[in-house]
Amino acid sequence: MTDDGTGLFTIGELARATGLTVRTIRYWSDAGVLTPVTRSSGGYRLYDAACAARLELIRTLRELGLGLDDVRRVLAGERTVAEVAAAHVAALDAQIRSLKVTRAVLSTVARRGSTAEEMTLMNKLARLSAAERTRIVEEFLAEIFDGLDAADPDIRTRLRFHAAELPDDPTPEQVDAWVELAELIQDPEFRALMRSMVEFNAADRGPEVPAGTSLWFMSRLVQLAGEALREGVAPEAPEADRILRGLLGDAGRAAVLERLTAAANERVARYRQLSAVLNGLGPQASYEAEFGWVVAALRAHPDR
């Protein structure tokens, strides 16, 4: 404080009192957020006790990451501290999500030993907006269901669930899963494979077949095949033929074999695994042994 009885501080005295540097206080003064109350006869800036209190508020807001424009609005009474804090929280959340995406992409690049081109693609896919990610999923579903109105609507619902959105606060594993799934569902060969599965389903259904029948069939298949495996029934055994008759009735076994071969495809299984990660689910049963048993039994006991 100056010793002239005015109770004012020079910029150096204010710096010593607050622990801030003269350079910082001068910068904030020049930016218009800390205006001196007057100047000395020698032209030096002078500040009062209110300026010192204002300086503490400025320092707090700056330490919390607010820009000088927001600080200026708070000090001018244009916005409350609460309003600015809420806006800043939203901005920080966006930054945190961005950092998580960056970390996930770099972790994936390091783990895969990716090239620069692969890293660029992964980063681009990971940073797609929610609308862009939705567009990719909708294009995938539109292509594989186009013109197949007879397909079980539960299949469409399940596939939409499988092609889940990337959560707002994703884990590195979920970002990695989304990148791989986005690559997969944009692959023409994978789309053709999924289209063939939906075509099989549409051909199987009549107009009176209720929704969910396809999923019931798969559940029944897994159940019967699991029982056969536990009882040690070989796919080539006569008992396997009886099990198939109970499951399929008079349905053409060659068509069922083709359908199940597609459903048991490794890429289809990978699609399900990735969707489980995106949806925050634990490891999902693949029923590889059950599907394998039925496929082997169909090959051993073809149509007669």
Side-chain angles (χ1 to χ4, degrees), residues 35-270:
T35 306
V37 294
T38 188
R39 288 182 179 265
S40 69
S41 58
Y44 295 104
R45 308 178 210 212
L46 297 175
Y47 303 87
D48 61 8
C51 290
R54 185 183 180 97
L55 186 59
E56 287 297 333
L57 175 58
I58 295 169
R59 172 160 60 181
T60 299
L61 293 173
R62 292 291 288 159
E63 286 177 349
L64 290 172
L66 272 69
L68 284 177
D69 286 341
D70 280 329
V71 171
R72 192 179 295 109
R73 292 188 186 98
V74 169
L75 295 173
E78 297 173 5
R79 300 186 72 183
T80 66
V81 172
E83 290 171 339
V84 172
H88 196 55
V89 166
L92 285 174
D93 285 342
Q95 291 175 15
I96 290 169
R97 287 195 295 270
S98 179
L99 287 172
K100 285 186 174 182
V101 169
T102 298
R103 183 185 184 282
V105 170
L106 291 174
S107 297
T108 301
V109 168
R111 186 174 64 255
R112 292 185 183 179
S114 302
T115 64
E117 291 78 10
E118 290 170 335
M119 179 180 67
T120 299
L121 175 60
M122 280 189 284
N123 189 51
K124 180 179 179 181
L125 289 173
R127 294 186 185 282
L128 290 176
S129 68
E132 289 169 327
R133 292 195 295 268
T134 298
R135 177 185 56 78
I136 289 175
V137 172
E138 292 301 326
E139 287 179 352
F140 165 66
L141 294 174
E143 181 172 329
I144 65 175
F145 282 96
D146 183 38
L148 298 177
D149 296 335
D152 192 331
D154 275 15
I155 298 295
R156 181 188 290 270
T157 300
R158 178 160 292 205
L159 286 179
R160 187 183 298 279
F161 174 77
H162 283 328
E165 253 301 319
L166 186 64
D168 288 337
D169 188 21
T171 64
E173 293 75 20
Q174 286 173 318
V175 174
D176 194 6
W178 161 253
V179 169
E180 187 177 342
L181 185 139
E183 293 173 319
L184 187 60
I185 65 177
Q186 292 180 95
D187 185 321
E189 291 185 1
F190 181 73
R191 288 191 175 193
L193 173 64
M194 297 297 283
R195 168 77 180 187
S196 68
M197 292 174 58
V198 176
E199 287 174 344
F200 290 144
N201 178 260
D204 287 345
R205 297 185 79 238
E208 305 301 324
V209 176
T213 300
S214 303
L215 302 181
W216 177 89
F217 171 79
M218 287 299 182
S219 297
R220 180 69 173 155
L221 178 151
V222 168
Q223 176 190 347
L224 292 177
E227 291 173 359
L229 285 166
R230 287 190 294 274
E231 293 170 5
V233 178
E236 302 81 11
E239 178 65 12
D241 185 46
R242 185 190 66 77
I243 293 172
L244 290 177
R245 283 199 306 274
L247 176 66
L248 304 176
D250 296 329
R253 295 187 180 185
V256 174
L257 176 60
E258 186 178 4
R259 176 180 172 184
L260 291 182
T261 300
N265 182 279
E266 289 182 0
R267 302 187 80 193
V268 176
R270 183 58 180 162

